[in-house]
Amino acid sequence: NYTRISEFILAGFQSHPGSQLLLSVLFPTMYVVTVVGNVCMMLIIRRDSNLHTPMYFFLENLSALDICYSSVITPRATLAFLLDRRSISYNGCASQMFFFSLFGTTEAFFLAAMAYDRFTAICNPLLYQVIMSKRLCVFMVMGSYLSGCINCTIQTGFTFSLSFCGHKEINHFFCDVAAVIHASCSDTLVNELVMLAVCGSIIVGTALVVFISYGYIIITILQMPSAESRHKAFSTCSSHMMTICLFFGTASFMYAQPGATSSPNRSNTISIFYTIVIPMLNPFIYTFRNKEVKGSLKKQLKRRG
């Protein structure tokens, strides 16, 4: 007998009252910082014509994406920890999974597009404006969202074709693909293989673009004649490299390995990093490690003063 479920219970961190209290304060605080930081980044780029370049076009879109990405998870999780409202409707869970997969996948492709942009700027500086045209940048952004749509449709469709047999608890603080699969009473082998194949290919594919681009970038930087030019070239890439390490490190640990559904307790803690911490850190990483953004911010603050 299969009973259609109308809602799920998000049980992540429920057995750790101390953690719930801490997270009920941290989650809304980090969410506010995320939204304010990324909105400020977008305004800085939008208001300074000197930053209207392909690199900052991608960065502006990344900031908007990070707000959406965090908004899918953090407000709902805050309600669970603060007010103990842990129930989520069946359709609400499917929607959350859909948009989480959409924005997460899109971010991976954004980071790959930004790596290609840095490769072109450093390895082909004379052709940079020709290659990285406005049309290509828009195409890359649209292609990233399209790839995200394909992945989230596959993941959500396969996951919610499973039966749950009245089992409502999801051992996570949001409707993650692996956690929902783990709650099913169906044979989940096909779903796990699909998740591993699709997510693994996306992570490996985008990471390859990043690593190949930065391989050529490092070789080009090392061949530069002066220490000043090497330092300047490296400074334009350091913030992006930091973001890449954080995002791909946690994502590959979660989704690009066999048995990803077998460790829900471990995944709860790791998920906090790529759903909440990384979107919060991105504007600070790109501000404090980028002279152009810092210079633009100081100039705009002086005008306000």
Side-chain angles (χ1 to χ4, degrees), residues 90-136:
Y90 183 90
N91 292 332
C93 187
S95 299
Q96 189 182 55
M97 182 185 292
F98 181 89
F99 287 107
F100 167 73
S101 299
L102 168 63
F103 297 131
T105 305
T106 304
E107 181 144 352
F109 280 93
F110 266 19
L111 293 174
M114 291 170 76
Y116 177 75
D117 171 71
R118 292 299 83 207
F119 159 76
T120 309
I122 293 172
C123 300
N124 297 292
L126 298 177
L127 297 175
Y128 177 66
Q129 295 296 335
V130 177
I131 296 172
M132 297 303 297
S133 63
K134 183 71 173 179
R135 183 178 179 181
L136 179 62

Side-chain angles (χ1 to χ4, degrees), residues 13-274:
F13 297 107
Q14 195 170 24
S15 59
H16 302 86
S19 299
Q20 288 188 68
L21 181 61
L22 176 64
L23 293 173
S24 67
V25 176
L26 281 179
F27 271 43
T29 303
M30 290 191 291
Y31 180 64
V32 170
V33 173
T34 299
V35 173
V36 172
N38 282 288
V39 167
C40 287
M41 177 63 74
M42 293 167 66
L43 289 174
I44 290 168
I45 295 170
R46 188 64 63 89
R47 289 174 177 272
D48 192 342
S49 59
N50 293 323
L51 300 182
H52 293 176
T53 62
M55 175 183 173
Y56 294 104
F57 173 77
F58 288 121
L59 186 53
E60 183 181 1
N61 279 277
L62 180 65
S63 294
L65 183 67
D66 278 339
I67 294 172
C68 297
Y69 188 46
S70 186
S71 297
V72 172
I73 307 299
T74 315
R76 185 67 191 75
T78 301
L79 287 176
F81 297 134
L82 195 60
L83 304 177
D84 203 31
R85 291 173 55 181
R86 293 183 170 272
S87 62
I88 183 171
S89 67
Y90 183 90
N91 292 332
C93 187
S95 299
Q96 189 182 55
M97 182 185 292
F98 181 89
F99 287 107
F100 167 73
S101 299
L102 168 63
F103 297 131
T105 305
T106 304
E107 181 144 352
F109 280 93
F110 266 19
L111 293 174
M114 291 170 76
Y116 177 75
D117 171 71
R118 292 299 83 207
F119 159 76
T120 309
I122 293 172
C123 300
N124 297 292
L126 298 177
L127 297 175
Y128 177 66
Q129 295 296 335
V130 177
I131 296 172
M132 297 303 297
S133 63
K134 183 71 173 179
R135 183 178 179 181
L136 179 62
C137 293
V138 172
F139 177 78
M140 283 181 164
V141 170
M142 292 177 64
S144 297
Y145 276 104
L146 178 61
S147 302
C149 283
I150 293 170
N151 178 49
C152 67
T153 302
I154 293 172
Q155 296 290 352
T156 308
F158 268 84
T159 302
F160 282 88
S161 65
L162 296 170
S163 299
F164 295 93
C165 310
H167 185 63
K168 291 184 177 183
E169 279 201 357
I170 296 173
N171 195 0
H172 216 304
F173 61 89
F174 69 98
C175 290
D176 182 49
V177 177
V180 176
I181 289 175
H182 192 73
S184 173
C185 60
S186 303
D187 182 6
T188 61
L189 178 61
V190 173
N191 291 74
E192 291 190 42
L193 290 174
V194 168
M195 187 182 75
L196 181 63
V198 176
C199 293
S201 61
I202 289 170
I203 293 169
V204 171
T206 51
L208 272 176
V209 173
V210 170
F211 293 143
I212 291 171
S213 297
Y214 274 100
Y216 280 105
I217 287 170
I218 290 168
I219 292 170
T220 304
I221 290 175
L222 292 175
Q223 292 176 346
M224 290 179 177
S226 66
E228 184 182 351
S229 59
R230 288 195 296 269
H231 176 74
K232 185 178 179 181
F234 182 76
S235 66
T236 64
C237 303
S238 57
S239 54
H240 186 237
M241 289 173 69
M242 193 178 299
T243 303
I244 285 167
C245 292
L246 288 169
F247 182 85
F248 282 104
T250 52
S252 59
F253 191 80
M254 280 294 299
Y255 299 109
Q257 59 174 336
T261 64
S262 63
S263 305
N265 291 322
R266 179 185 62 182
S267 68
N268 282 337
T269 305
I270 299 169
S271 297
I272 292 174
F273 284 93
Y274 67 83

Side-chain angles (χ1 to χ4, degrees), residues 298-305:
K298 288 177 182 178
K299 184 169 63 176
Q300 292 183 39
L301 288 175
K302 284 180 180 178
R303 287 177 185 171
R304 290 284 181 181

